[in-house]
Amino acid sequence: MAMDASEETLRRAMSDKQAAVDAQGNTVRDLKASGAAKADIDAAVEALNALKLEKSSIEKQLQATITGGSDVGTLSRDAFRQAVGNTLERRLFYIPSFKIYRGVAGLYDYGPPGCAVKANVLAFWRQHFVLEENMLEVDCPCVTPEVVLKASGHVEKFTDLMVKDEKTGTCYRADHLLKDFCKEKLEKDLNMDAEKAAELKQILAILDDLSAEELGAKIKKYGIVAPDTKNPLSDPYPFNLMFQTSIGPSGLIPGYMRPETAQGIFVNFKDLYYFNGNKLPFAAAQIGQAFRNEISPRQGLLRVREFTLAEIEHFVDPEDKSHPKFGDIAHLEFLMFPRTEQTSGQSAKRMCLGDAVYEGIVNNQTLGYFIGRVYLFLTQLGIDKERLRFRQHLANEMAHYAADCWDAEIECSYGWIECVGIADRSAYDLRAHSKVVIAPVKKELGLAFKGNQKNVVEALEVMDEKEAMEMKSILESKGEVEFHVCTLGKVVTIKKSMVTISKEKKKEHQRTFTPSVIEPSFGIGRIIYCLFEHSFYTRPSKAGDEQLNVFRFPSLVAPIKCTVFPLVQNQQYEEVAKQISLSLTAAGISHKIDITGTSIGKRYARTDELGVPLAITVDSTSSVTIRERDSKDQIRVSVEAVASVVKEVTDGSSTWTDVSWRFPAHSHVSIDE
Ligand code: AMP
């Protein structure tokens, strides 16, 4: 089942070896009990020890297979995560919010370098999506009246399954408890037989697909209890994740903090469609805060209660989901994880996007186009191609509105994390928000109600959406309905032929339809966190006595593009540094001057830790050195040319290798760390 061949082989080898150890143990005991010759006993004990050694070697391999698989160097996952986390917090990339009041779970502040990285990611998002596709960007409020989120289905269905500690009332996410149980068992119980391991792996594969009843049954089956107290747990039940509020002083207008930015776009669809010249397809985009009252926030920036979402709603004719630019990305090849591979226990496989759409694995070209664009976006930001995959949602896992959905998942020390959801939401949202059109059939009403016809028509026309939809469903099922006309002071019978009730639709070329929506939805914090992990590495200091931290951010996302260091504290060099700073500012390059008296090696280490790609060292008044972060190579450039060289490299018009050919190399023996 869902297990790598090597892991399965090792688990089988482990149980075989354990059986051999047990058998040999019995032999030794029997020999001793029967008073056998010492030489025979010694030989049997030796054989037992050899078997134990073999078992421990398999155990080590199995442990490595289970915990390995991620490219985090020689450090273990936990140690790696801790090293990145410490650096991020110490250098103020992000920190827990309200820390001096002991913080609140699931809320984080971005400090200066974190803000800069986030701004760069968002600027690139605008360039890569909004600008490239001529999208219509909007900016809508976070506070949303209840009526909107009722229509969208969030009030009823935006839930996660929760269980409670039956004694203390502490709440947990039911699927997380089951997931933790399976993972821990698989990692720690190396003697578990291969069949049992396959069963647990299968649960992990279909976890998101389980109903409340199925989850409850598994929690009972495995005897899972509250992790903190070991008390029994309640059955799973749905908990709505939206933060409730009320709008205005009366408290009478119920509202919620939006759980996604999408609804702001949907309710403006008609105006945006008009703005676009009543033509499809077109896309709207929005960047903004989203709020979800997560049951048990954990894993730092990955599961928080307030986060930045960047969302695109691409409106398309449901009968023509082709995309004119599909050819541009059809050749891309990357890891894809279709539904069937997941449920049959296989792994993600490298596929050509064009083939995946052609074979119907990805539903349509527009969905495929966005999958390809998201791949390019993430890899250009610095996400490792080998730790990025597109996973199709299982049937039950899809949000209440989605028709097909692929998640861009990035592997980090916490496992594979959904960072972008790319959903074909079909026509759900626009149908939900479209107005009800009530059209009384006057001829029929005139025949039935004669002089009272006008009163009946008026009463029909002023029905609200709920009343109208109720009437529509009764008329459809029973053919007639009792209807109170207050201006007549009586109840009349309305027949199906007397009124048509429908939801507003778009008319294009005389055809009436509700547009479909393809929605790529980006969790910016999750992307940034994975980027931090994929960019982080350590390398020994020159003296070899400590490990130095480096973020290998591409210039595109680096918080600042360059630092300027006068080699020694001296007025002449500081003047040159200021002059260079002015020319960098004029060229629009973010930078920082470091005039502290610490050694140049320490200053390099400090800027490497912030992921600054280039460092200028002022060691003369006519020319300076530029050092590249990852190679630590240096070139010598005149003071006049330095800003334009830095600009070329950091805006991507030249690579470091390109410019290294043009300028003399500078030996860093004397000044580098
Ligand atoms: P969804 O609407 O649930 O598909 O979420 C859209 C995107 O928002 C996901 O792909 C995640 O990247 C991100 N996201 C969802 N929930 C959270 C959360 N609690 N914390 C941080 N990011 C989240």
Side-chain angles (χ1 to χ4, degrees):
M1 295 300 290
M3 195 156 38
D4 293 338
S6 55
E7 185 186 332
E8 187 172 350
T9 320
L10 288 167
R11 284 209 187 263
R12 288 197 191 286
M14 265 296 281
S15 13
D16 291 350
K17 206 51 79 185
Q18 183 60 50
V21 167
D22 292 345
Q24 188 63 22
N26 289 339
T27 310
V28 171
R29 257 189 303 279
D30 292 347
L31 285 172
K32 282 183 179 167
S34 64
K38 184 170 179 303
D40 292 343
I41 296 177
D42 286 349
V45 168
E46 203 174 313
L48 177 63
N49 287 341
L51 283 170
K52 280 185 180 163
L53 261 179
E54 282 165 26
K55 187 187 146 212
S56 113
S57 143
I58 300 172
E59 197 169 281
K60 277 198 194 113
Q61 287 177 57
L62 180 57
Q63 187 80 62
T65 310
I66 294 167
T67 52
S70 71
D71 175 28
V72 290
T74 49
L75 294 171
S76 76
R77 271 177 191 235
D78 288 348
F80 175 79
R81 184 188 303 151
Q82 213 162 24
V84 188
N86 287 346
T87 313
L88 290 170
E89 282 207 26
R90 189 163 40 76
R91 301 311 307 267
L92 294 194
F93 278 89
Y94 70 89
I95 39 175
S97 302
F98 317 114
K99 204 163 74 170
I100 59 167
Y101 290 101
R102 299 180 48 213
V104 177
L107 297 178
Y108 286 92
D109 297 338
Y110 286 91
C115 271
V117 168
K118 185 174 168 187
N120 293 337
V121 169
L122 292 177
F124 182 53
W125 190 85
R126 282 197 167 94
Q127 185 197 322
H128 187 83
F129 292 106
V130 180
L131 196 71
E132 172 82 23
E133 317 290 344
N134 270 316
M135 293 178 179
L136 310 182
E137 188 173 345
V138 296
D139 187 355
C140 310
C142 297
V143 177
T144 309
E146 182 179 56
V147 60
V148 173
L149 294 160
K150 261 199 172 155
S152 66
H154 285 84
V155 171
E156 205 188 321
K157 294 192 187 130
F158 196 67
T159 54
D160 274 340
L161 292 169
M162 179 160 97
V163 285
K164 265 192 181 165
D165 179 320
E166 279 190 343
K167 293 205 176 116
T168 64
T170 308
C171 303
Y172 303 94
R173 240 182 91 162
D175 58 339
H176 283 175
L177 291 189
L178 182 58
K179 185 178 181 175
D180 291 348
F181 169 83
C182 295
K183 280 189 141 180
E184 195 175 313
K185 266 265 183 239
L186 284 164
E187 274 172 27
K188 304 229 165 105
D189 187 353
L190 301 182
N191 289 317
M192 188 191 327
D193 65 46
E195 282 69 31
K196 178 90 177 164
E199 177 185 317
L200 297 185
K201 287 225 159 185
Q202 176 67 1
I203 292 177
L204 288 175
I206 57 154
L207 193 66
D208 293 331
D209 214 19
L210 297 177
S211 66
E213 292 70 33
E214 289 165 333
L215 260 177
K218 298 239 177 305
I219 287 175
K220 284 216 165 67
K221 173 174 173 188
Y222 296 117
I224 299 173
V225 289
D228 304 317
T229 59
K230 311 287 173 247
N231 290 332
L233 293 165
S234 70
D235 286 333
Y237 61 98
F239 169 76
N240 196 302
L241 297 183
M242 289 195 295
F243 284 99
Q244 203 162 13
T245 183
S246 62
I247 306 171
S250 68
L252 294 177
I253 307 174
Y256 294 92
M257 303 304 287
R258 65 181 176 193
E260 58 173 20
T261 66
Q263 300 308 322
I265 296 178
F266 295 135
V267 296
N268 282 315
F269 173 76
K270 212 172 149 204
D271 290 339
L272 292 169
Y273 180 63
Y274 179 72
F275 187 87
N276 200 51
N278 289 345
K279 289 252 173 338
L280 285 177
F282 76 93
Q286 176 161 208
I287 296 174
Q289 294 303 88
F291 304 82
R292 299 185 185 180
N293 198 3
E294 293 288 344
I295 295 169
S296 44
R298 53 188 199 170
Q299 306 178 330
L301 288 187
L302 297 182
R303 186 165 301 284
V304 290
R305 288 176 164 145
E306 176 178 346
F307 54 98
T308 303
L309 265 180
E311 296 195 290
I312 294 165
E313 309 301 332
H314 180 95
F315 299 101
V316 63
D317 182 338
E319 281 172 22
D320 180 12
K321 294 188 182 175
S322 61
H323 197 288
K325 293 205 280 180
F326 183 70
D328 296 354
I329 47 84
H331 65 283
L332 291 174
E333 270 188 31
F334 43 77
L335 282 179
M336 298 191 83
F337 203 5
R339 199 174 286 150
T340 41
E341 267 70 8
Q342 295 168 55
T343 46
S344 61
Q346 298 169 51
S347 325
K349 55 183 184 188
R350 188 165 298 281
M351 291 179 78
C352 165
L353 184 54
D355 294 344
V357 172
Y358 179 70
E359 288 164 24
I361 297 168
V362 171
N363 185 270
N364 58 75
Q365 277 194 4
T366 301
L367 193 58
Y369 178 71
F370 279 108
I371 290 176
R373 293 290 297 165
V374 168
Y375 171 81
L376 292 175
F377 172 73
L378 293 173
T379 49
Q380 283 172 32
L381 278 183
I383 293 296
D384 178 359
K385 292 184 175 69
E386 301 308 318
R387 285 186 279 165
L388 168 62
R389 72 180 184 194
F390 287 82
R391 187 182 69 81
Q392 188 174 31
H393 274 207
L394 302 174
N396 280 351
E397 180 191 352
M398 281 191 289
H400 59 271
Y401 42 71
D404 187 17
C405 188
W406 289 78
D407 286 340
E409 294 187 332
I410 305 176
E411 195 191 26
C412 68
S413 66
Y414 293 102
W416 287 97
I417 303 297
E418 173 207 339
C419 291
V420 187
I422 310 161
D424 183 339
R425 296 171 73 127
S426 181
Y428 179 88
D429 300 274
L430 293 183
R431 279 218 187 100
H433 289 304
S434 56
K435 283 214 190 87
V436 175
V437 180
I438 304 166
V441 181
K442 293 197 179 139
K443 197 174 142 216
E444 293 284 327
L445 291 163
L447 282 174
F449 301 114
K450 312 258 168 12
N452 289 339
Q453 178 207 355
K454 193 164 160 275
N455 304 59
V456 179
V457 168
E458 274 171 5
L460 286 170
E461 283 177 342
V462 298
M463 280 190 298
D464 67 21
E465 180 173 338
K466 191 160 166 262
E467 288 168 321
M469 293 318 283
E470 271 167 20
M471 174 178 278
K472 180 178 163 66
S473 90
I474 300 174
L475 285 176
E476 271 163 16
S477 59
K478 301 206 175 114
E480 59 178 47
V481 60
E482 300 287 276
F483 181 55
H484 183 248
V485 182
C486 52
T487 50
L488 294 177
K490 65 174 181 182
V491 171
V492 299
T493 302
I494 301 289
K495 299 219 163 82
K496 204 173 169 187
S497 58
M498 295 176 184
V499 62
T500 51
I501 298 169
S502 58
K503 289 264 189 167
E504 194 180 47
K505 293 184 174 171
K506 291 296 129 225
K507 266 204 177 134
E508 239 190 33
H509 313 299
Q510 304 311 313
R511 191 163 66 85
T512 304
F513 62 92
T514 309
S516 276
V517 184
I518 311 280
E519 179 199 72
S521 170
F522 300 71
I524 298 299
R526 287 193 183 179
I527 295 172
I528 290 177
Y529 179 77
C530 292
L531 190 60
F532 288 151
E533 278 207 7
H534 287 200
S535 307
F536 184 82
Y537 65 99
T538 57
R539 59 185 175 199
S541 63
K542 187 113 195 268
D545 53 350
E546 56 176 331
Q547 285 292 317
L548 302 174
N549 305 316
V550 188
F551 282 107
R552 63 163 93 77
F553 297 130
S555 300
L556 183 68
V557 289
I560 43 177
K561 309 303 172 204
C562 128
T563 32
V564 186
F565 308 126
L567 180 60
V568 287
Q569 280 182 312
N570 123 359
Q571 206 188 342
Q572 265 186 324
Y573 287 0
E574 280 174 24
E575 278 309 315
V576 175
K578 276 188 199 148
Q579 192 188 327
I580 292 173
S581 167
L582 285 176
S583 50
L584 289 170
T585 306
I589 299 164
S590 57
H591 62 281
K592 190 173 183 277
I593 303 189
D594 183 347
I595 50 163
T596 51
T598 47
S599 75
I600 195 74
K602 283 222 169 71
R603 283 185 278 172
Y604 281 152
R606 260 200 320 240
T607 113
D608 291 345
E609 210 175 42
L610 285 178
V612 183
L614 299 175
I616 299 168
T617 302
V618 180
D619 59 355
S620 88
T621 51
S622 56
S623 71
V624 295
T625 67
I626 308 179
R627 169 196 184 260
E628 195 274 332
R629 178 194 59 211
D630 298 306
S631 61
K632 296 195 274 178
D633 287 342
Q634 296 179 39
I635 53 172
R636 182 160 288 285
V637 179
S638 72
V639 170
E640 293 71 37
V642 70
S644 72
V645 174
V646 170
K647 185 164 169 55
E648 257 181 75
V649 177
T650 53
D651 73 9
S653 47
S654 297
T655 64
W656 172 254
T657 319
D658 293 337
V659 295
S660 320
W661 287 111
R662 300 202 326 248
F663 296 94
H666 173 80
S667 151
H668 49 76
V669 180
S670 55
I671 57 166
D672 201 1
E673 63 269 44

